[in-house]
Amino acid sequence: MITVEEVTIDWREVKHLGVMIDDRLNSNSRVDYAYEKATKAITALTRIISNNPAISSSKRRLLASVSTSILRYGAPDSAAGVITRRNLTRLNRLMAMRVASAYRTITMDAVCVIAGMDPINILLEEDCECYRRRGTAGARVIAKADLTRKWQLTWDSSSKGTCTYRLIPNLSLWVDRKHGEVNFFLTQFLSGHGCFRK
């Protein structure tokens, strides 16, 4: 409850600048709201970016960044709640699958690498680190470099996506490349998941 002079306002949730704030001041409302909004966005984008070979993976990545931006908005104040939510990881995997035109059987680790999209937990940690280092020159560059190293260590130690790891062991060389696009057939080859027999 909020009391202003003699008026008492009873509220459970309020939306302020696109961020949901609940009466307990925890991040659950913000995470649920962002998840619903991002789900609607990715559902709408899925109609646009179906496995159509005319749309390149870089254009798909640009469209998928809409949902990623929705999930990242206001994250530093509620990162603990956001990072622990498995639903966000599922949504991030779905976006990466759309970008890479991948089969549903592909693992999260492999599809993020093939699509060249940072996992959502890495992005949220980067945002939190930038928030902690605000006012420092080059904070975003430092945080990005630290978390790219962390993603590489996670990729090196992952037991999932071993077929992809054999072909793409170095993330920075693959993600930062200035040439080539992945498509439905190349993704099948890189992931080992597709319409071919072993």
Side-chain angles (χ1 to χ4, degrees), residues 2 5 13 28 46-47 49 51 68 71 76 147 157 163 175 177 182 187 191 197:
I2 299 174
E5 294 180 4
E13 292 179 340
N28 291 340
T46 299
R47 294 186 191 109
I49 58 174
N51 287 344
T68 306
L71 294 175
L147 290 163
S157 63
C163 181
V175 173
R177 74 190 189 285
V182 293
T187 299
S191 65
R197 293 175 181 264

Side-chain angles (χ1 to χ4, degrees), residues 131-144:
Y131 183 73
R132 277 194 288 275
R133 294 182 185 194
R134 64 188 178 276
T136 306
R140 179 66 67 179
V141 175
I142 295 167
K144 179 75 174 167

Side-chain angles (χ1 to χ4, degrees), residues 12 23 27 39 53 81 84-85 132-133 136 156 168 180-181 191-192 198:
R12 297 260 182 226
D23 56 353
S27 61
T39 302
T84 57
R85 290 297 181 105
R132 277 194 288 275
R133 294 182 185 194
T136 306
D156 290 339
I168 309 171
E181 299 278 345
S191 65
K198 201 166 188 179

Side-chain angles (χ1 to χ4, degrees), residues 3-198:
T3 305
V4 180
E5 294 180 4
E6 297 175 3
V7 179
T8 302
I9 303 169
D10 188 21
W11 62 286
R12 297 260 182 226
E13 292 179 340
V14 63
K15 183 165 72 169
H16 180 66
L17 298 175
V19 177
M20 295 300 289
I21 303 168
D22 64 4
D23 56 353
R24 294 183 192 141
L25 297 178
N26 63 23
S27 61
N28 291 340
S29 295
R30 195 212 80 74
V31 173
D32 293 340
Y33 177 73
Y35 179 76
E36 287 174 26
K37 194 171 177 182
T39 302
K40 288 177 185 173
I42 197 64
T43 303
L45 290 172
T46 299
R47 294 186 191 109
I48 299 169
I49 58 174
S50 60
N51 287 344
N52 183 347
I55 303 172
S56 66
S57 62
S58 57
K59 290 176 185 172
R60 292 169 186 266
R61 195 177 312 112
L62 178 65
L63 291 171
S65 67
V66 171
S67 294
T68 306
S69 297
I70 292 169
L71 294 175
R72 292 174 76 178
Y73 182 71
D77 67 338
S78 59
V82 172
I83 290 171
T84 57
R85 290 297 181 105
R86 293 189 55 138
N87 288 345
L88 300 185
T89 305
R90 260 185 258 133
L91 191 61
N92 187 230
R93 179 176 174 266
L94 180 61
M95 288 186 286
M97 283 171 44
R98 295 292 180 250
V99 169
S101 301
Y103 272 75
R104 287 191 172 271
T105 55
I106 195 168
T107 63
M108 172 71 178
D109 297 342
V111 76
C112 283
V113 170
I114 292 170
M117 292 176 60
D118 296 333
I120 191 68
N121 60 334
I122 297 282
L123 289 171
L124 294 175
E125 286 179 38
E126 179 185 333
D127 291 342
C128 292
E129 190 61 31
C130 289
Y131 183 73
R132 277 194 288 275
R133 294 182 185 194
R134 64 188 178 276
T136 306
R140 179 66 67 179
V141 175
I142 295 167
K144 179 75 174 167
D146 289 346
L147 290 163
T148 301
R149 279 193 295 276
K150 183 177 178 181
W151 187 20
Q152 181 67 56
L153 289 172
T154 306
W155 180 232
D156 290 339
S157 63
S158 176
S159 61
K160 298 176 179 176
T162 53
C163 181
T164 305
Y165 183 79
R166 282 194 303 258
L167 298 168
I168 309 171
N170 189 327
L171 287 175
S172 59
L173 288 176
W174 176 259
V175 173
D176 297 333
R177 74 190 189 285
K178 302 293 183 201
H179 62 281
E181 299 278 345
V182 293
N183 59 25
F184 178 69
F185 301 106
L186 183 58
T187 299
Q188 288 181 59
F189 173 74
L190 292 173
S191 65
H193 292 258
C195 55
F196 47 82
R197 293 175 181 264
K198 201 166 188 179

